[in-house]
Amino acid sequence: MAASLFDQAAAAAQFLRQQAQSVQPQIGLVLGSGLGAVAGILADATRIPYSAIPHFPQSTVVGHSGQLHLGTLNSVGVAILQGRVHFYEGYTPEQVTFPTRVLGLLGIDTLILTNAGGAIRPGLSIGQLLLLSDHINLLGFNPLVGPNEPRFAARFAARPGAGQRFFDMTAAYDPALRSLARRVAAKQNLTLDEAVYLAVPGPSFETPAEIRAFQRLGADLVGMSTVPETIVARHSGLRVLGISCVTNLAAGLGNSTLSHEEVFAAGRSVETRLAQLLLALIPEIGAAALAQSHSEKSNPQEPAS
Ligand code: HPA
């Protein structure tokens, strides 16, 4: 019989532990289109190609080179996924979220998801960084469909909803992490506005009529990733922070013809700013998470039944 999803993710996590025994990652970071160079924030990381990790899916998209970086930043352990796989490549929802599950089992507390998005809300500009405040899932699937597996959330049994069949998504993008990110950004003279991200399967870009419809639904930004990882991370009890880079105006709102090259080039143009933000933010998140885990240990909540 094939190994279960849990056993496969546990095998991958065990393999990674053996590769970088001295690093205990506390924060996971997923890099979106054109943002791969941000991985350079970890100076002395161990780099592991996805092809070497048991059961890990490999991206087929130009600009999404697949490597996992394990290292530290100001003594905070960080695991960076440079390159993600998408539903439009033909991967199943389980495969798309497999790396998130592995990072969860590896012991992270917080997952930072970055992506490229097309701007729907008027006033957003290309190259702007945005914090996700919420999402709308129009992918047509939920990656948790299937048997519930509470073992993915074993470390966080005290966090409300973690590992449960049904759980709350009201504050999927952690409000405290969002305020911390805004404070750190302000010190760099960077304003981080918030946005609602709408996920579509792709791979075609949207039609102008679809974008007008999404505007009426309350979306600020459209993209083809992130939402499956957020759902799985929240089920695992992880805290999630989403940061989007506006790479283009959504279909019908600008003058240019949409292309992957445009999206990729715009991503490249903000990666230095994103790297600066993360360099300052990650140590702060590490310190805040440490304080939180001390308070969880001294005030354990009854896990919901
Ligand atoms: N649509 C969908 N996904 C995207 C876009 C877009 O306009 N830009 C970057 N990712």
Side-chain angles (χ1 to χ4, degrees), residues 21 42 45 47 119 124 157 177 189 198 206 208 214 227 261 279:
Q21 286 165 347
L42 297 186
R47 295 181 179 80
L124 297 180
L177 285 178
N189 291 322
L198 183 145
E206 301 67 42
F214 296 166
V227 163
E261 289 68 32
L279 267 173

Side-chain angles (χ1 to χ4, degrees), residues 31-41 63 82 114 127 129 245 247 263-279:
L31 299 177
S33 291
L35 304 170
V38 172
I41 58 175
Q82 185 185 24
T114 68
L129 293 174
C245 158
T247 51
V263 168
F264 192 72
R268 299 293 319 248
S269 74
V270 291
E271 57 191 357
T272 310
R273 228 173 328 129
L274 179 62
Q276 271 166 7
L277 176 66
L278 291 168
L279 267 173

Side-chain angles (χ1 to χ4, degrees), residues 110-189:
T110 298
L111 183 64
I112 305 175
L113 296 166
T114 68
N115 62 37
I120 297 179
R121 186 170 83 209
L124 297 180
S125 40
I126 294 172
Q128 189 174 353
L129 293 174
L130 293 166
L131 281 179
L132 300 194
S133 58
D134 206 342
H135 73 223
I136 298 172
N137 181 7
L138 288 192
L139 289 166
F141 69 85
N142 184 305
L144 296 175
V145 167
N148 187 43
E149 180 46 275
R151 286 180 292 175
F152 282 113
R155 286 185 302 127
F156 298 120
R159 293 189 180 171
Q164 307 280 310
R165 170 82 298 184
F166 304 106
F167 60 97
D168 189 77
M169 286 284 284
T170 309
Y173 299 90
D174 195 276
L177 285 178
R178 276 148 57 194
S179 353
L180 183 61
R182 276 197 304 272
R183 281 202 301 279
V184 169
K187 286 190 202 151
Q188 302 183 347
N189 291 322

